[in-house]
């Protein structure tokens, strides 16, 4: 079985003691493809180093995370643009809006997202969206930028059926992760009404570990737990969900 983790920070400091072991555990669990979102200038070297170590498995994105947006974010985006012109990447990302920690930089986050949406269109790449406590605000900007060529994924989606419908109408996919296994995660109210062709699987490791590992460090080897939960909610075979979501990821990210 081939499973794709469409969003994993496997290069992060939390994996420094056992990064290659975590990669082997992932492969043993059937996770053969891992797509890695960038955070900011400080994460690029580690991300690209891991991609170079495992070029058949790990694929890098390039973008600026909303939590890394400062009042002088333009320099960070200049670096993102420079990298996008230098070599191929799987996507622009992760980009988006995050209003959970700090709302004071919303105007800067919005402008950074607008610019990255344009980068995605210019480079004909998908964009990976982070939308913590900010789905509507993010979707509004996507809608304004959508000219029929914009595509991507609302990663770590845990919204309402109406939000899922809006994301899909915008031409975007939904990234489903460990929250789907949580007792009150809400996936049971959303996923049964969503076609498999709109879904990707992800861990967002080292964050949001699925049950029974909730609260611990997440890793790609735990993705089969998400896979089984999604298959259960859709009433489909695990193999069918693995195949479809891997096919979706390959098409979206041109893997």
């Amino acid at each position: 079985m081939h499973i794709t983790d469409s969003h994993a920070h496997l290069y992060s400091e939390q994996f420094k003691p056992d990064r290659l072991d975590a990669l082997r555990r992932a492969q043993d669990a059937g996770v053969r493809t891992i797509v890695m979102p960038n955070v900011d200038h400080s994460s690029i070297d580690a991300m690209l180093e891991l991609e170079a170590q495992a070029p058949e498995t790990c694929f890098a994105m390039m973008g600026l995370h909303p939590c890394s947006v400062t009042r002088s974010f333009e320099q960070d985006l200049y670096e993102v643009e420079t990298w996008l012109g230098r070599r191929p990447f799987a996507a622009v990302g992760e980009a988006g809006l995050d209003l959970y920690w700090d709302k004071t930089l919303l105007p800067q986050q919005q402008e950074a997202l607008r610019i990255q949406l344009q980068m995605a269109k210019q480079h004909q790449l998908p964009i990976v969206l982070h939308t913590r406590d900010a789905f509507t605000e993010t979707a509004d900007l996507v809608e304004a930028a959508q000219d029929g060529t914009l595509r991507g994924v609302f990663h770590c989606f845990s919204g309402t059926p109406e939000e899922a419908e809006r994301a899909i109408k915008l031409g975007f996919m939904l990234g489903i992760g460990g929250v789907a296994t949580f007792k009150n995660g809400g996936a049971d109210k959303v996923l049964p009404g969503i076609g498999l062709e709109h879904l990707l699987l992800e861990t967002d490791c080292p964050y949001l570990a699925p049950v029974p590992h909730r609260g611990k460090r997440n890793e790609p080897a735990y993705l089969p737990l998400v896979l089984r939960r999604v298959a259960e909610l859709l009433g489909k075979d695990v193999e069918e969900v693995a195949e479809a979501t891997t096919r979706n990821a390959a098409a979206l990210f041109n893997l």
Side-chain angles (χ1 to χ4, degrees):
M1 190 161 55
H2 184 146
I3 316 171
T4 296
D5 187 344
S6 65
H7 197 107
H9 301 268
L10 188 56
Y11 56 81
S12 79
E13 280 290 310
Q14 292 192 39
F15 289 102
K16 193 170 184 179
D18 63 341
R19 194 179 330 277
L20 295 182
D21 288 336
L23 190 57
R24 280 191 287 271
R25 288 193 293 271
Q27 292 169 336
D28 289 345
V31 181
R32 307 294 168 82
T33 304
I34 299 171
V35 191
M36 304 183 298
N38 189 49
V39 176
D40 54 34
H41 67 275
S42 68
S43 55
I44 295 173
D45 288 349
M47 178 181 68
L48 295 183
E49 181 181 345
L50 179 56
E51 183 188 55
Q53 289 176 315
E56 300 299 313
T57 302
C58 296
F59 299 86
M61 307 179 202
M62 181 54 58
L64 178 64
H65 193 291
C67 290
S68 294
V69 171
T70 65
R71 296 191 187 280
S72 55
F73 65 90
E74 291 87 352
Q75 180 58 38
D76 288 295
L77 287 184
Y78 176 78
E79 186 168 9
V80 168
E81 179 61 32
T82 300
W83 273 107
L84 288 172
R86 188 178 294 171
R87 46 146 288 176
F89 286 94
V92 173
E94 69 186 278
L97 302 177
D98 190 309
L99 300 182
Y100 180 80
W101 298 108
D102 182 5
K103 297 180 174 64
T104 61
L105 291 175
L106 176 59
Q108 288 83 1
Q109 287 190 28
Q110 288 172 317
E111 184 61 16
L113 176 54
R114 286 189 196 97
I115 293 170
Q116 290 181 92
L117 288 165
Q118 293 305 315
M119 287 180 182
K121 292 195 290 187
Q122 177 187 343
H123 292 277
Q124 299 180 323
L125 289 172
I127 187 165
V128 173
L129 297 172
H130 172 110
T131 58
R132 193 171 189 189
D133 286 1
F135 177 87
T136 299
E137 293 86 348
T138 305
D140 286 347
L141 291 177
V142 172
E143 188 171 9
Q146 183 58 276
D147 59 0
T149 65
L150 198 55
R151 58 203 172 92
V153 55
F154 281 82
H155 115 82
C156 194
F157 183 82
S158 58
T160 65
E162 293 76 21
E163 289 171 340
E165 183 179 354
R166 186 177 184 195
I168 290 167
K169 282 185 175 178
L170 285 169
F172 278 63
M173 309 199 80
L174 309 177
I176 308 300
V179 175
T181 70
F182 297 174
K183 185 176 180 181
N184 297 313
D188 56 324
K189 298 177 177 64
V190 177
L191 288 185
I194 303 296
L196 194 47
E197 68 273 17
H198 302 300
L199 300 179
L200 301 179
L201 301 182
E202 63 170 68
T203 57
D204 196 21
C205 70
Y207 316 107
L208 296 173
V211 174
H213 305 287
R214 186 175 182 180
K216 301 176 182 176
R217 187 192 73 175
N218 199 5
E219 61 176 84
Y222 296 160
L223 192 59
L225 295 166
V226 177
L227 168 64
R228 286 198 285 272
R229 176 60 172 161
V230 171
E232 175 191 345
L233 290 173
L234 295 179
K236 296 187 179 295
D237 293 336
V238 166
E239 291 79 5
E240 181 183 357
V241 176
E243 180 182 342
T245 53
T246 287
R247 185 171 62 245
N248 294 344
L252 181 66
F253 298 118
N254 194 31
L255 301 177

